[in-house]
């Protein structure tokens, strides 16, 4: 099975904006091809079809809409540095929202998962649970794997340098059943 290159939400939205023609079925085509970006595509479509008069000043409702969007941006954006400094509990809480074992959350925190093996849908859900962008999560997971110092100190043997493994391997090691693994790995 050939791996498709990862396409970011920004790339999808840029391509959509370039192809967009009202009533031409472009939105339906993009929604079918990129269901994980459906909300952003719908919002962009509404923005592209919105008519406004540039001579009329913005209304109070427009200002409230902008203020709400800015507040959402301020509170939802976790940076790469914040992810690196985040305690294991943050990842455990995020993975709990996805109904997966804590070992999977720790594999995310320790960056032991090969990014190329993660389905886009899982990446998007994990990024949302961590309150960050998919791109930031991919950048974080692209960093070298790490072994927590506390675990290394408690070990009776010299800890080996961790290696990145496939998402499927992490799920199997965490005891996730085959049907659930198949459902998680299936791109829709």
């Amino acid at each position: 099975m050939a791996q498709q290159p990862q396409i970011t939400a920004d790339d999808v939205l840029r391509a959509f904006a370039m192809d967009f023609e009202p009533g031409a079925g472009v939105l339906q085509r993009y929604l079918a091809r990129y269901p994980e970006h459906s909300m952003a595509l719908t919002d962009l479509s509404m923005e592209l079809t919105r008519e406004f008069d540039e001579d009329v000043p913005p209304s109070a409702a427009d200002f409230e809409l902008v203020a709400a969007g800015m507040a959402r941006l301020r509170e939802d954006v976790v940076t790469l540095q914040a992810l690196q400094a985040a305690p294991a509990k943050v990842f455990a809480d995020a993975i709990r929202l996805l109904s997966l074992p804590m070992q999977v959350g720790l594999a995310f925190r320790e960056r032991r998962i090969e990014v190329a093996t993660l389905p886009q849908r899982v990446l998007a859900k994990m990024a949302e649970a961590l309150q960050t962008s998919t791109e930031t999560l991919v950048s974080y997971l692209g960093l070298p794997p790490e072994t927590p110092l506390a675990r290394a100190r408690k070990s009776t043997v010299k800890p080996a340098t961790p290696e990145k493994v496939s998402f499927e391997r992490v799920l199997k090691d965490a005891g996730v059943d085959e049907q659930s693994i198949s459902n998680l790995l299936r791109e829709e």
Side-chain angles (χ1 to χ4, degrees):
M1 182 171 140
Q3 287 283 335
Q4 293 184 342
Q6 297 285 339
I7 187 164
T8 66
D10 287 341
D11 291 339
V12 171
L13 294 175
R14 275 191 207 99
F16 175 73
M18 296 295 289
D19 292 346
F20 185 74
E21 291 179 31
V26 176
L27 177 60
Q28 286 79 13
R29 190 172 73 239
Y30 273 81
L31 288 174
R33 192 163 178 200
Y34 306 104
E36 66 273 13
H37 303 301
S38 60
M39 293 296 291
L41 286 166
T42 304
D43 289 345
L44 181 57
S45 171
M46 290 172 49
E47 186 65 28
L48 291 172
T49 57
R50 187 177 77 148
E51 292 185 20
F52 59 93
D53 186 1
E54 291 185 25
D55 296 331
V56 176
S59 68
D62 291 335
F63 281 116
E64 287 176 19
L65 184 63
V66 170
M70 291 302 293
R72 203 175 37 219
L73 278 175
R74 275 189 225 95
E75 66 189 35
D76 287 348
V77 178
V78 173
T79 64
L80 182 59
Q81 292 78 15
L83 277 180
Q84 288 175 302
K89 183 177 181 342
V90 170
F91 287 86
D93 291 346
I95 209 70
R96 195 173 300 118
L97 292 174
L98 298 172
S99 301
L100 291 172
M102 188 182 343
Q103 296 94 317
V104 178
L106 291 175
F108 270 96
R109 184 186 187 285
E110 296 170 2
R111 303 184 296 261
R112 290 186 287 118
I113 301 173
E114 292 176 6
V115 178
T117 65
L118 278 164
Q120 188 66 34
R121 183 172 37 93
V122 172
L123 265 173
K125 286 181 179 180
M126 187 63 176
E128 182 180 340
L130 289 168
Q131 297 182 335
T132 191
S133 68
T134 305
E135 293 80 11
T136 301
L137 181 57
V138 167
S139 297
Y140 174 77
L141 293 172
L143 294 171
E146 68 174 15
T147 301
L149 294 177
R151 202 173 338 156
R153 251 186 249 131
K154 293 178 182 178
S155 177
T156 58
V157 296
K158 183 178 179 182
T161 304
E163 294 182 11
K164 293 199 181 241
V165 295
S166 71
F167 184 55
E168 182 177 10
R169 175 84 265 147
V170 169
L171 293 171
K172 285 181 180 178
D173 290 348
V176 178
D177 66 276
E178 289 294 327
Q179 182 63 40
S180 297
I181 292 173
S182 175
N183 290 342
L184 283 167
L185 294 177
R186 185 179 61 234
E187 286 281 359
E188 294 177 1

